[in-house]
Amino acid sequence: MNRIAVYCGSATPADPRYIDLAGQVGRTLAARGIGVVYGGGRLGLMGALAKGALDAGGEVIGVIPEALVGGEVANTDCTELHVVANMHQRKQAFTDLSDGFLTIPGGVGTMDELWEAVSWAQLGYHAKPVGLLNALGFYDHLLAFNRHMIETGFVRQAHAGIIIAGDALDPLLDLMAGHEPHTPIFAMKASDL
């Protein structure tokens, strides 16, 4: 993997461990020679992620909608900063520019990005690994809900492994690097669905 799209929050939670985590993710990716593609912001976890990667000599490509540039949240320190018209173009750019996806703690926007990456993988719009860093137990409930969707049959067994989850970054990145694509819905027959 040459580049990973990292999905994370633009908020700064009261617990400083989240900001520290984002900075460490950026530094680790840079140390492994993996470029960061992210939301292009300078605030919260986004800003800490970019700073961590840039300070470690890594490549950081930001993709930000025009509406957020005017609010002075764009990170002009990025290696490249792509300004796009809307959120749909932003998420398409994440997919086009990266070799995989990594979600760290975040809010509604982060969830939107994660689930779109999962949905697109399930359908067959991409065959890239979708990693979820469950640091500090942040995603325990989300992972339980995902298991519930699998157990009740709303996620097919063929797609049960799309989310590659781990609570430590280096082993998670190793799992993502060894990702084996599944059979997407577009390649299935009606009898398989």
Side-chain angles (χ1 to χ4, degrees), residues 93-167:
F94 290 151
T95 302
D96 294 343
L97 294 169
S98 69
D99 302 308
F101 309 91
L102 174 65
T103 299
I104 66 174
V108 173
T110 304
M111 290 300 90
D112 175 50
E113 292 160 346
L114 167 65
W115 288 116
E116 184 161 293
V118 171
S119 176
W120 284 19
Q122 181 176 279
L123 289 167
Y125 285 114
H126 74 76
K128 301 172 183 183
V130 180
L132 180 71
L133 182 59
N134 188 27
L136 309 170
F138 187 80
Y139 287 117
D140 285 349
H141 296 289
L142 183 136
L143 290 168
F145 177 64
N146 191 56
R147 281 191 301 277
H148 178 65
M149 289 192 294
I150 294 165
E151 290 164 0
T152 55
F154 285 102
V155 174
R156 293 164 188 84
Q157 283 301 314
H159 306 133
I162 289 176
I163 294 177
I164 304 167
D167 56 8

Side-chain angles (χ1 to χ4, degrees), residues 52-107:
L54 289 167
D55 287 353
E59 175 190 49
V60 176
I61 299 173
V63 184
I64 192 166
E66 290 173 358
L68 292 177
V69 173
E72 297 183 2
V73 299
N75 186 350
T76 56
D77 293 332
C78 293
T79 309
E80 296 176 26
L81 183 62
H82 299 254
V83 179
V84 295
N86 55 51
M87 296 298 282
H88 296 293
Q89 289 179 4
R90 182 194 220 183
K91 289 186 287 184
Q92 183 65 57
F94 290 151
T95 302
D96 294 343
L97 294 169
S98 69
D99 302 308
F101 309 91
L102 174 65
T103 299
I104 66 174

